[in-house]
Amino acid sequence: MAINRFHHFSVLIFLLLPLFLQFHSGKSELQYNYYAESCPNAEEIIKQEVIKLYNIHGNTAVSWVRNLFHDCVLKSCDASLLLETVNGIESEQASDRSFGMRNFKYVKTIKDALEQECPMTVSCADVVALSARDGIVMLGGPRIEMKTGRRDSQESYFAEMDSLIPNHNDSISSVLSRFQSLGVDVKATVALLGAHSVGRVHCVNLVHRLYPTVDPTLDPHYAEYLKGRCPTPDPNPKAVLYARNDRETPMILDNNYYKNVLNHKGLLIIDQQLASDPTTLPYVEKMAADNGYFQDQFSRAVLLLSENSPLTGDQGEIRKDCRYVNSN
């Protein structure tokens, strides 16, 4: 009888130990409908704000997607990107890697709507993730079911941005390596780069492919169009000088990007390298041929990225204002 009791006790300890460790460490996993009890309308509020902003400023949807990429690739999906420079914190927005990013002020619009409904409940990190999800839908992309429960960092990673965020001039092998270190495989990385099918690129990031001589991997007619958009080799970074990533469907998240890449019309060096690297070319060809396949892979890739090392449980904090840690 004593042995039997001991056996039951051992089984109970075995079953409860993971829960104890989770509670003791302060960690918990992301989950679907994390705010179901604490703020049941949270996801709907974010969605409606994203729609309202899109109808006034269509480019906000592109910004939300880029925010997710920059925030999650760096260290963690923890809204460190949104912190402004104050009291010893140097904003990641001031880095060269953040060149061209905009619409941060409208994150406050979304967060204020949440604060009105559920004060100090919904994290800025989840605002970054869910606004990207809803922005993708506004851009004609797939609806992605996302887990929530991320918490906000209390520090900026400005000093590490150059080493951790891939650059458009990096080699495809280094970009693949960086993403693989985050658990994002080759196919998912190729799909993520499909986000380049929307938005635009400033001439500052293009002119090295046009001047003094045209990059031989660029389609000559396309190069002439780009020269029309970027007429000088030294554009003013503050001037509105840019080329659309995709001239045919510039605000639709679709597989035209891959068709352009195969036709030597990739804007950035990293885009064009997708078609010349034997590890990525088969996926480029498959995504170019099948928009449904691209959207499926894009959904999977966004989920992988959005769940990179989140702060959960009692880690970090829930910021009241996404621009500042609560102590500021």
Side-chain angles (χ1 to χ4, degrees), residues 48-116:
Q48 291 306 320
E49 291 298 323
V50 166
I51 292 171
K52 280 193 283 186
L53 285 164
Y54 175 81
N55 288 334
I56 303 168
H57 311 283
N59 60 34
T60 52
V62 180
S63 295
W64 307 150
V65 179
R66 191 173 176 192
N67 283 357
L68 180 78
F69 169 83
H70 276 253
D71 192 48
C72 295
V73 165
L74 190 50
K75 279 275 192 174
S76 159
C77 296
D78 58 9
S80 62
L81 171 69
L82 302 180
L83 290 172
E84 293 192 356
T85 299
V86 66
N87 291 353
I89 287 176
E90 191 162 9
S91 177
E92 293 168 17
Q93 297 169 30
S95 167
D96 288 344
R97 287 290 197 271
S98 300
F99 177 74
M101 295 185 77
R102 52 193 175 151
N103 292 321
F104 291 113
K105 62 186 176 184
Y106 297 123
V107 176
K108 188 175 189 307
T109 304
I110 300 172
K111 178 64 166 164
D112 285 350
L114 291 165
E115 286 298 306
Q116 201 168 354

Side-chain angles (χ1 to χ4, degrees), residues 249-269:
T249 55
M251 292 297 286
I252 302 293
L253 189 64
D254 59 18
N255 66 336
N256 266 358
Y257 166 76
Y258 302 99
K259 296 174 185 177
N260 288 336
V261 165
L262 291 174
N263 289 325
H264 300 281
K265 294 179 181 178
L267 276 188
L268 301 171
I269 288 176

Side-chain angles (χ1 to χ4, degrees), residues 234-253:
D234 53 350
N236 180 350
K238 294 182 180 177
V240 184
L241 293 166
Y242 64 86
R244 293 283 179 190
N245 280 320
D246 174 6
R247 293 171 69 187
E248 291 178 35
T249 55
M251 292 297 286
I252 302 293
L253 189 64

Side-chain angles (χ1 to χ4, degrees), residues 220-230 242-244 247 267:
H221 297 293
Y222 189 55
E224 285 307 308
Y225 157 74
L226 292 178
K227 279 188 168 185
R229 300 294 305 174
C230 307
Y242 64 86
R244 293 283 179 190
R247 293 171 69 187
L267 276 188

Side-chain angles (χ1 to χ4, degrees), residues 276-294:
S276 57
D277 189 283
T279 58
T280 55
L281 177 58
Y283 298 123
V284 172
E285 290 174 332
K286 197 165 182 180
M287 290 177 197
D290 187 342
N291 192 52
Y293 175 76
F294 158 62

Side-chain angles (χ1 to χ4, degrees), residues 30 37-38 45-46 51 80 109 115 118 152 156 158 172 181 194 199 217 248 256 283 287-288 302 310-311 324:
L30 299 179
E37 293 183 11
S38 61
I45 289 169
I46 293 172
I51 292 171
S80 62
T109 304
E115 286 298 306
C118 316
D152 301 328
S156 160
F158 173 85
I172 187 66
S181 73
T217 63
E248 291 178 35
N256 266 358
Y283 298 123
M287 290 177 197
V302 166
L311 302 180
Y324 312 109

